[in-house]
């Protein structure tokens, strides 16, 4: 009933799944209520076609990241933070990545739990909000304990339920308006540029893109990763996002979640459950993988995935119940700035510089991890910091281009240049220790 799911080792070939299973889970991550909100935000600031181009640009950025990082994850069968050890970051760089992933997705888990609970509280107000937070948070936690297979089944049920019912709720609202009028609407809020819109689109899912290997380590081939990404992300961004734009024009407010969840009774409950569970399970799953790598890479203790999941799930549910997650949003912004360069560096190392590819290739043949790993890679940390700084400045000062993309490309190019100059070197090689018995 409980799958440990190879959190710190390679996923063997025989434990992998069809591309469609992964694609449905991927689409499930993108088809949630906050995606409508994203559409509404773009609708408030852009025309329909402006929003269309912002979604297109943002999706292209995300898909490129997901495909390249995802192929590395599929080939090596490793989660993002474990893979990072041999894709430019070394043991302790991967600790940082594990911590960043664990914290960001802990934050998202709490936020989604709060959205979930608030919706259910509106429909069934007899139970207090804090209690709904605990019920929904711990419910999702119980699912995540059971691992990838169970999450796949969940997506197969919740994705069609969500599309059908949320689609219907939307249709009811949109059919009161003429589609032509909606498409030719002007933005009703503060206007934004397409580049800003694309940044919002890419930024809102960049942590999902960087953690792609957590998911694609269960894919079987490069073609599967590509198909899964194109189908899952394109549908998720366009269908849900553009629907959110139209809805926002229809009601001239950004509060589109209220419209979808205004369906009361059983329909409202099914919409909420099906919207949230399939994304929030992944928030918790990847958060746990990140934390396990962070702990193992620093103190050599291999935690049990179930224990870590329960710990984070409980803490996140309590944080949601206490309503303290607003304090987290500034922090999530900082994490959003440091995340894109990670993708640039991983891709540059794995596909271009290839400093650690030989050890990955040799150990992959044996189905094991490499014997050694670099401790720190100073050049990577410098490139990472510089790229994150440029990303942050280009956002703050409205420099040319798309901030997330600027920092991603700069990190990739910077790493390649450092590699060509022979600067990509670990401080020392450490033996990879694998405590055999989970604690
Ligand atoms: N946009 C999001 C990224 C990651 N997790 C979420 O729940 N939502």
């Amino acid at each position: 009933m409980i799958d440990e799911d190879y959190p710190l080792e390679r996923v063997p070939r025989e434990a992998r799944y069809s591309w469609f299973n992964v694609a449905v889970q991927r689409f499930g991550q993108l088809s949630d209520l906050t995606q409508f909100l994203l559409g509404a935000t773009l609708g408030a600031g852009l025309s329909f076609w402006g929003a269309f181009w912002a979604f297109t640009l943002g999706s292209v950025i995300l898909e490129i990241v997901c495909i390249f990082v995802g192929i590395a994850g599929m080939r090596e069968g490793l989660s993002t933070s474990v893979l990072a050890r041999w894709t430019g970051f070394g043991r302790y760089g991967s600790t940082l990545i594990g911590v960043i992933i664990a914290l960001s997705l802990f934050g998202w888990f709490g936020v989604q739990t709060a959205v979930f609970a608030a919706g259910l509280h509106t429909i069934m107000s007899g139970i207090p909000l804090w209690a709904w937070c605990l019920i929904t948070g711990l419910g999702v936690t119980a699912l995540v304990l059971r691992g990838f297979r169970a999450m796949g089944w969940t997506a197969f049920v919740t994705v069609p339920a969500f599309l059908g019912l949320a689609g219907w709720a939307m249709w009811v609202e949109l059919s009161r308006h003429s589609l032509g009028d909606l498409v030719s609407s002007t933005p009703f809020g503060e206007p934004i540029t397409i580049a800003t819109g694309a940044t919002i689109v890419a930024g809102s899912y960049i942590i999902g893109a960087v953690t792609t290997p957590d998911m694609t380590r269960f894919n079987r081939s490069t073609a599967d990763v590509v198909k899964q990404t194109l189908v899952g992300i394109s549908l998720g961004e366009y269908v849900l996002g553009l629907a959110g734009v139209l809805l926002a024009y229809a009601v001239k407010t950004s509060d589109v979640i209220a419209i979808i969840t205004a369906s009361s009774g059983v329909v409202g409950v099914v919409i909420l459950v099906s919207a949230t569970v399939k994304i929030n399970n992944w928030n918790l799953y990847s958060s746990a993988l990140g934390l396990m790598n962070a702990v193992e890479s620093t103190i050599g203790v291999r935690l049990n995935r179930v224990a870590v999941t329960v710990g984070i799930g409980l803490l996140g549910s309590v944080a949601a119940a206490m309503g303290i997650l607003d304090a987290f949003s500034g922090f999530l912004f900082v994490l959003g700035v440091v995340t894109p360069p990670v993708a640039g560096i991983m891709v540059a190392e794995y596909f271009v510089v290839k400093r650690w590819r030989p050890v990955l290739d040799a150990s992959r043949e044996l189905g094991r991890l490499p014997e050694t790993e670099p401790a720190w890679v100073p050049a990577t940390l410098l490139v990472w910091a510089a790229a994150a700084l440029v990303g942050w400045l280009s956002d703050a000062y409205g420099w040319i281009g798309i901030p997330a993309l600027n920092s991603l490309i700069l990190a990739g190019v910077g790493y390649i240049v450092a590699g060509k100059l022979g600067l990509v070197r670990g401080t020392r090689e450490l033996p990879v220790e694998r405590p055999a018995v989970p604690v």
Side-chain angles (χ1 to χ4, degrees), residues 10 43 51 54 117 124 153 179 193 234 236 255 267 289 329 358 368 376:
R10 293 180 187 271
M124 289 175 275
W153 281 113
L179 194 62
T193 62
S234 307
D255 196 11
V267 173
L289 292 187
S329 63
R368 310 207 337 213
W376 286 103

Side-chain angles (χ1 to χ4, degrees), residues 32 34 105 108 112 204-205 207 279 283:
D32 72 324
T34 63
L105 292 176
W108 274 111
Q112 294 276 7
S204 76
Y205 191 67
I207 187 73
I279 164 90
N283 287 334

Side-chain angles (χ1 to χ4, degrees), residues 277-401:
V277 168
K278 63 203 174 0
I279 164 90
N280 222 15
N281 56 6
W282 271 98
N283 287 334
L284 182 53
Y285 188 84
S286 282
S287 181
L289 292 187
L291 186 65
M292 288 179 72
N293 177 65
V295 170
E296 203 272 345
S297 59
T298 41
I299 57 173
V301 173
R302 187 200 154 102
L303 298 175
N304 177 294
R305 191 181 73 79
V306 168
V308 174
T309 302
V310 170
I312 299 176
L314 198 59
L315 210 62
S317 308
V318 170
M322 290 169 63
I324 56 176
L325 289 154
D326 284 344
F328 218 73
S329 63
F331 190 53
L332 278 180
F333 175 79
V334 174
L335 297 177
V337 172
V338 300
T339 315
V342 173
I345 291 169
M346 288 180 82
V347 170
E349 162 58 29
Y350 194 80
F351 293 99
V352 184
V353 176
K354 300 186 180 177
R355 169 72 182 70
W356 286 281
R357 267 298 276 282
V359 289
L360 276 176
D361 289 344
S363 59
R364 188 175 62 242
E365 295 301 313
L366 305 171
R368 310 207 337 213
L369 290 178
E371 300 284 319
T372 64
E373 61 194 350
W376 286 103
V377 185
T380 299
L381 298 181
L382 279 177
V383 168
W384 187 7
L389 186 66
V390 169
W392 179 64
L393 291 175
S394 58
D395 191 41
Y397 294 103
W399 289 355
I400 189 159

